Amino acid sequence: MSAEPLPVIRNFVGGTFAEPDEERCLTKTAPATGTPLAQVHEADRTLVDRAVRSARGALADGWAHTPVRERTALLRRAADLIEQRFEEFVAAEVGDTGKPVTQARELDVARAIANFRTFADIVAAAGQDSYLTDLPDGRQALNYAVRKPLGVVAVIVPWNLPLLLLTWKVAPALACGNAVVVKPSEETPSTAALLAEVLADAGLPAGAYNVVHGFGAGSAGEFLVTHPGVDGITFTGSSATGTAVMRAAAPGVRPVSFELGGKNAAIVFDDVDVDEALDGLCRSVFTNTGQVCLCTERVYVHRAVFTDIVDGLAERAGRLRLGDPFSAHTTTGPLISQEHRRKVLRYFDLAEQAGAKVVTGGGTPHLGPALDGGAWIEPTLWTGLTNADRPVREEIFGPVAALIPFDTEEEAIALANDTDYGLAAAVWTNDLRRGHRVAQRMDVGMAWVNTWFLRDLRSPFGGAGLSGIGREGGASSLHFYTEPTNVCVQL
Ligand SMILES: NC(=O)C1=CN([C@@H]2O[C@H](COP(=O)(O)OP(=O)(O)OC[C@H]3O[C@@H](n4cnc5c(N)ncnc54)[C@H](O)[C@@H]3O)[C@@H](O)[C@H]2O)C=CC1
Ligand SMILES: O=C(O)/C=C/C=C(\O)C(=O)O
């Protein structure tokens, strides 16, 4: 009996799915099982060029000047259509990533809908800056800025929150009248393709949303960011790739918006409600198998509650349920790939060499024959490491954290800020003054107090240092995706 052919995922250029080129095909495998899921057609330089030209064509054909009310209505229709095809998006996201189906429903696909609705609201309500200027001769001038779309925006996204991050960029870009060429991660091609169908059904003109599949260097990613027809690049991914993309953006002095990695700290004070802090830490260390740029990998704990926090977090880690991602009982999926698992396991070795005590985890689980080909890893906690050790300095991007004791507030702040990254932090305390005080001193883009990953999509999101350039969210997104022209009229 011959095996069923794999589904084929094609590039989307100029409003249609491009004819497949059988010679340039990559096989996408399921992270949970290691079995092939789909054949994905890799875009070559010519197809990427066509995608950029199609985007430029859509702008010239009028998309850039479409009235805001039409663009925002289109975004709302897109949100409604994702809602109608909700379970299809969930299944695609779970298949590609192995993340638990409950998470895909509650976080990933729900946020995609919210991204479209929120940016429709934000763009509809946006005003323009204006200043009445007093002149020396008693007359006045009126200054006002009009915001125009940036043009063709390259959207490069990773595999950890594929649809959430894609729509976080595509929704404001389209709302502002740009055309986009999207390069999803080679690991997660499916939801970007589904989104192409949704946007076409919502009435988006051909060419305003294009998808090119493939890898980064020497493939679709590089062809896109080096294309001179691209006017700006928004990228989420590793700091190393961010550096390469920045180099590619230099000719033409094109603007970039980067959300990169993190090595995020949590600080737990001795006045804390231990159970509440443990619930929060369990989420911040293990959500999405630790594969969120915001996840906590360093936990600084006041010495008075150190043992309670270490034991309590280990106990909660033991309650996580690894297994079939499509089961509603599963809390924790695999890592994205065997390659990524090898990287995380290297840090397990490094931690051992540095003298870490493995409080829980530290290896790969056996989940039965159906799942043993997957990229599974045990949720892992270490003590006995210091800020000098590589597993405490470098982004691991897995379900793992080092717990380190401290004695004073100043020491905790210094330890948390002792990093080349600057993305996020979480402070756990029942003393609200201390919460504000310490959060404000974190050298990060986002500091949470007594919570984690609580998002208001109107607030600025991004990081400093190795964690990125610029902010997106709310007005920050409108600023990145538009170019202002100030008009000065002497009255
Ligand atoms: N948001 C975050 O903080 C993320 C961090 N990572 C970290 O990065 C490590 C490597 O994971 P990768 O998937 O390889 O991340 P990556 O940053 O290399 O990939 C992200 C996206 O960039 C594309 N890309 C790669 N090289 C490119 C280039 N030269 N030009 C244009 N596009 C390019 C990729 O195809 C993908 O779509 C992970 O182990 C993890 O530590 C990975 C994903 C997200
Ligand atoms: O926008 C959000 O709420 C989350 C963003 C997460 C990332 O940028 C990431 O994990 O890379």
Side-chain angles (χ1 to χ4, degrees), residues 17 42 71 89 109 113 118 131 189 219 224 246 272 336 352 390 416 450 454 463 468 471:
F17 285 99
E42 199 184 338
R71 294 204 299 261
F89 275 94
V109 182
I113 295 166
T118 303
Y131 302 96
S219 179
L224 179 58
M246 195 165 175
V272 82
I336 190 67
E352 209 177 297
R390 281 184 60 191
N450 295 333
L454 197 168
R471 298 290 184 273

Side-chain angles (χ1 to χ4, degrees), residues 111 160-161 164-165 168 236 259 292-294 453 455 461:
R111 247 303 285 284
N160 55 333
L161 301 168
L164 184 159
L165 289 171
W168 173 242
T236 297
E259 293 173 37
V292 181
C293 62
L294 308 166
F453 204 175
R455 298 277 284 110
F461 185 95

Side-chain angles (χ1 to χ4, degrees), residues 156-157 159 183 185-186 221 235 238 241 293 340 343 395 397:
I156 315 271
V157 277
W159 41 258
K183 212 298 282 171
S185 167
E186 54 278 18
F235 169 75
S238 64
T241 299
C293 62
H340 188 46
K343 170 186 160 179
E395 184 185 54
F397 223 61

